[in-house]
Amino acid sequence: MPNTYKAGWKPDPRLPLPIYRQIEQYVQGRIRSGEWSIGMKLPPQRALAEAFGVNRSTVVTAMEVLMAEGWIEGRGRGGTRVIGIPDERVRRTMNLPDWNAYVEEGAHYPNLPMIQRINRLEFDRDIIRLGTGELSPELLPQEQIRELFASLAKRPVSLGYEQPQGDEELRRLLSRELSRQGIQASPSAILIVSGALQALQLISAGLLERQSAILLEKPSYLYSIHAFQSAGMKLVGLPVDEGGLRLSELERCWRTYRASMLYTIPTFHNPTGTVMSESRRQQLLTLCETIGLPVLEDGAYQELWLDREPPAPLKSRDEHGIVLHVGTMSKAVSPGLRIGWVVGPEPVIERLADIKMQTDYGSSSLSQQAAKMWFASGMHLPHLEHIGKRLRERRDAMLALLDAHWSDIADWSRPEGGFYVWVSLRSPIPVQRLFNQALKHGILLNPGVLYDRSAVRQLRLSYAYASLAELEHALKLLPQLIRSR
Amino acid sequence: MPNTYKAGWKPDPRLPLPIYRQIEQYVQGRIRSGEWSIGMKLPPQRALAEAFGVNRSTVVTAMEVLMAEGWIEGRGRGGTRVIGIPDERVRRTMNLPDWNAYVEEGAHYPNLPMIQRINRLEFDRDIIRLGTGELSPELLPQEQIRELFASLAKRPVSLGYEQPQGDEELRRLLSRELSRQGIQASPSAILIVSGALQALQLISAGLLERQSAILLEKPSYLYSIHAFQSAGMKLVGLPVDEGGLRLSELERCWRTYRASMLYTIPTFHNPTGTVMSESRRQQLLTLCETIGLPVLEDGAYQELWLDREPPAPLKSRDEHGIVLHVGTMSKAVSPGLRIGWVVGPEPVIERLADIKMQTDYGSSSLSQQAAKMWFASGMHLPHLEHIGKRLRERRDAMLALLDAHWSDIADWSRPEGGFYVWVSLRSPIPVQRLFNQALKHGILLNPGVLYDRSAVRQLRLSYAYASLAELEHALKLLPQLIRSR
């Protein structure tokens, strides 16, 4: 259960029933309905007190009564758990399913506990999100999208299912957008997906056998999710230098692990910010063409350059169709649209489209229409220019703050695009403690271990989300926490 | 490759280059770029001729040249396949990945070939969709949704990611909607998903082990998709009578197969239209509580009643949280929104929300906002009443046409809700041939075998999509095709 709890219910002090009795009845109701199932761990008393807006002692009283009556039981450090309805008749004839066993036995890996907490805490309004992979709402094109809605309201809307590969006009517009990046992709070689993450899921389900090995940069965003591991695949991390992935290792690991695919973020790597050099890109492709290794290129940050345009994507140099290229609207335009795309050989795109039909019958037609209007409107390039300018200010502010307050304890690189500064502390930190301490001060961190288990001295800082004032506050405070541990 | 092909390109008769040379160059370009990968099967020449708007003989000429030059090769009935770029240098040093092997080795099952064809053919504007699981566009609330867009344009839009369980206000509104159906669900016990199909995917990935057995009605919609089978699970079909699932079989099969879950569509079953009786529902729950078998209730058609309100959902009678209830906006409001929900015990909902975050980072915030406005607007009930009336007319028209033209060759039931009439022909039909023959006459059928491999005499007819004129045309023509075979 989460450490914060949203009950959607509060005791009412105007009722004749004492508050603790109201809480008792609320808990009994949740247990009776089965929403709090047998074996479920209750939220911490502190979280319940906060959710109900009462003193913790009131919760404690209610819990003691419930425990005495046999609804719940305390298990020391194991927390409090639901036993069920304390009615002998019911218990004798029934053999209710044990949902906890189901939750634990499902084949898909759960997110790392820290990722689960981050996913929830990001919706806490008062928190400073210092590592988040998302643009600040003030940088999203709110006004422009509202204009699009106004014009959507004036024409016939499409409320039906979309084609398996996605709206045809949207794919035509994307084909045009991609050609700006040097990628020649026919609309028939493009699949619309619900964000880049779904593309990874479809590729893992549709193209790879269980037990396959995937090569990737280490650290990598891919380590923080379980798209491939849950499908029974192994991730093999490769070392990286300032020019990107080291190719000598690539060939060796391909041979050792009989790898099926290479996943790479060549431009503004997540989390390190590294840009793969021109020459490395060319060599990488030549090597992969020689050894027959398909490349999955994650281009999520390609357009978010700050100082100079980065080298063109791998896909733009791919003369023989060995690269699958993934892109998204989430980083520059709107995460909430959930619109991304995959570019690749037609048989691959058709296979992925078929699995997508089995997964969710296609992406939201509303989102696809909004995306279509966005790319047709000509708003995209000016918007990129606008956020590029703002992100540059933010990056420079973050670097200045790091210079001023972190130079004795850490090193970092200067990103030329994307969202992140990858900070290496000079001595190792107890990650979980720093995470919790920062949280007590209202700061949400993305520790390096999420992207590489051995990156115990690293933090992924993002200049894209928090305000400048928040950045200043957090980047002044954190070194104190780090030093004082 | 599909039988119809969309090239997005046509030869230009004004160019000095002969048409067949232009086609040659087009194909060479696709092969050079890798979009047509090595080993890929080319679309049939007929489909290419149609896509390019030329005579088939022109395509044949181009293909002969390409074959002579070594770009493609004919393999008789195996069709024509891509060999690659006929350049010795390239072939000698390269060892390009074999995408066909990837497409074939991915763990997820492809859709049945007939389903794949149906998924594509449904976007052919001239076709009569006689079995489709979707409301006719004229019955969707186009005007009302446009009004919603207009008001969306007037307020701040949310373009960021949504909470793991989905927008909180939407869950509150759904909690209210569900209580109309007798289901008491707290917002914290609801997960927003991208359509009901995604709910099934999440449940299969999150709650069930590989090799689990799932009990279900036979026939069932679930046989036509591979949500559970692709995750390594076994479907065990149970016989059905006019009151729904037969419980004697349920207990026996649960024991024999050590089943992990029961999937059921108790109300307006897809494809048979059956409604599980009040008494059967109660007995079913008692049995499942006794043997500890969780129930997955698919409530997609619950609100689409025509004559009288059906018995309340299983979930509304579920006193101990053994039922997971799935609902959707796709059947009554808008398939394109891709909004559905799961109701269940909180630990289950949290587990599913976590996997959803790993799958697509939540559903489109645009769609969630539209859904929120829809349920807040009070438009839902009047809309249900409106489409109920129209669907009743359509059903009655279909039944009258069946009476007039099918009574000597088939039997069928009279559905009291949902979209479908389940027709049983008195003698078996060669399904594939009838499907193709109907297609030649512009009629798209959903044969019974999609929902039960042994249902070789059945058809799922839908009165929800085709116009009354189309229904009349198709239901007069089909018996002729069936008799003449």
Side-chain angles (χ1 to χ4, degrees), chain B residues 258-400:
Chain B
R258 303 168 150 273
S260 303
M261 195 170 268
L262 165 69
Y263 170 86
T264 178
I265 313 169
T267 309
F268 312 132
H269 180 267
N270 177 3
T272 62
T274 309
V275 178
M276 192 185 289
S277 66
E278 284 277 1
S279 59
R280 193 71 60 87
R281 286 173 198 238
Q282 214 50 63
Q283 290 159 5
L284 174 71
L285 277 179
T286 306
L287 174 57
C288 290
E289 282 166 354
T290 312
I291 63 181
L293 182 66
V295 178
L296 172 52
E297 174 180 43
D298 187 337
Y301 298 89
Q302 179 76 33
E303 294 185 313
L304 291 162
W305 53 272
L306 305 182
D307 301 316
R308 65 192 64 83
E309 209 163 337
L314 294 170
K315 184 68 191 164
S316 71
R317 306 151 196 266
D318 173 30
E319 293 180 359
H320 304 286
I322 70 164
V323 177
L324 303 182
H325 178 86
V326 172
T328 179
M329 289 183 80
S330 298
K331 297 304 169 188
V333 184
S334 161
L337 279 186
R338 310 307 310 121
I339 293 291
W341 46 88
V342 192
V343 180
E346 280 186 23
V348 172
I349 292 302
E350 279 176 18
R351 166 75 168 140
L352 299 179
D354 179 53
I355 301 175
K356 177 149 171 68
M357 286 302 275
Q358 296 185 54
T359 305
D360 62 6
Y361 280 132
S363 297
S364 160
S365 59
L366 225 56
S367 286
Q368 293 193 58
Q369 285 171 75
K372 213 157 63 174
M373 295 178 75
W374 174 259
F375 287 118
S377 70
M379 290 173 181
H380 190 56
L381 281 182
H383 172 68
L384 283 180
E385 203 172 316
H386 167 70
I387 58 172
K389 225 175 282 174
R390 304 295 305 274
L391 284 172
R392 199 178 317 138
E393 292 163 13
R394 285 162 161 270
R395 177 205 55 190
D396 293 345
M398 179 173 268
L399 291 176

Side-chain angles (χ1 to χ4, degrees), chain B residues 25-44:
Chain B
Q25 294 192 351
Y26 168 79
V27 173
Q28 290 172 1
R30 306 303 303 271
I31 295 175
R32 275 190 199 285
S33 71
E35 286 185 350
W36 285 15
S37 50
I38 295 172
M40 188 192 97
K41 198 172 157 192
L42 264 62

Side-chain angles (χ1 to χ4, degrees), chain A residues 378-395:
Chain A
M379 290 172 181
H380 190 56
L381 281 182
H383 172 68
L384 284 180
E385 205 172 314
H386 166 71
I387 58 172
K389 226 174 281 175
R390 306 294 305 275
L391 284 172
R392 199 179 316 139
E393 292 163 13
R394 286 163 160 269
R395 176 204 56 188

Side-chain angles (χ1 to χ4, degrees), chain A residues 312-330:
Chain A
L314 293 170
K315 184 68 191 165
S316 71
R317 306 151 197 267
D318 173 30
E319 293 180 358
H320 304 286
I322 70 164
V323 178
L324 304 182
H325 177 85
V326 172
T328 179
M329 290 183 81
S330 299

Side-chain angles (χ1 to χ4, degrees), chain A residues 4-26:
Chain A
T4 55
Y5 182 68
K6 285 197 178 155
W9 171 88
K10 271 186 172 34
D12 184 346
R14 291 163 307 178
L15 292 181
L17 204 63
I19 300 291
Y20 80 91
R21 292 290 319 273
Q22 292 185 41
I23 293 175
E24 254 178 76
Q25 294 192 351
Y26 169 79

Side-chain angles (χ1 to χ4, degrees), chain A residues 7 17 28 96 104 156 372 411 479:
Chain A
L17 204 63
Q28 289 173 2
L96 297 179
E104 279 157 26
K372 213 158 62 175
D411 302 287

Side-chain angles (χ1 to χ4, degrees), chain B residues 2 10 65 116 222 256 287 294 390:
Chain B
K10 273 189 170 34
V65 177
Q116 291 194 29
L222 199 57
T256 310
L287 174 57
R390 304 295 305 274

